[in-house]
C-alpha cells in the first residue's frame, strides 16, 4: 500500500474526527496539529513497517448552513 486516505470531519463537541478508508483506524483530536500527530501514530501502530503507507492523504468534509 503506497498511501492511505482519511476523511476528516468536525466533531459535534468541537475538534476533529478522522476515519481511514479501507482500514479500521479512527482517531479524534482538539486541534489540527494534534490530529496530524495522532493520525501518524495510528497509522504506524496499525501497519507493519514492511507495508507502512508512504503517504497519508487527508480529505476534509465540512458542512455549513447559511440563512436565506
Amino acid at each position: 500500500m503506497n498511501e492511505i486516505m482519511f476523511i476528516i470531519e468536525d466533531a459535534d463537541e468541537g475538534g476533529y474526527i478522522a476515519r481511514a478508508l479501507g482500514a479500521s483506524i479512527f482517531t479524534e483530536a482538539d486541534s489540527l496539529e494534534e490530529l496530524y500527530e495522532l493520525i501518524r501514530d495510528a497509522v504506524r501502530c496499525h501497519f507493519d513497517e514492511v507495508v507502512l503507507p508512504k503517504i497519508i492523504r487527508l480529505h476534509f468534509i465540512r458542512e455549513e448552513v447559511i440563512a436565506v
Side-chain angles (χ1 to χ4, degrees):
M1 177 182 288
N2 195 29
E3 71 177 54
I4 186 168
M5 179 179 278
F6 280 81
I7 301 296
I8 312 298
E9 298 178 277
D10 293 331
D12 291 338
E13 62 279 349
Y16 302 92
I17 297 171
R19 291 184 181 93
L21 298 178
S24 297
I25 304 174
F26 172 87
T27 191
E28 55 186 311
D30 293 327
S31 69
L32 283 176
E33 294 78 21
E34 181 184 15
L35 185 70
Y36 296 159
E37 189 56 39
L38 290 174
I39 289 172
R40 285 185 188 106
D41 186 51
V43 169
R44 286 187 207 112
C45 289
H46 187 79
F47 294 99
D48 291 332
E49 193 169 321
V50 176
V51 294
L52 186 68
K54 304 282 188 250
I55 297 171
I56 300 171
R57 189 175 303 276
L58 306 178
H59 182 77
F60 287 82
I61 296 176
R62 170 170 273 149
E63 184 175 324
E64 295 186 28
V65 178
I66 60 172
V68 176

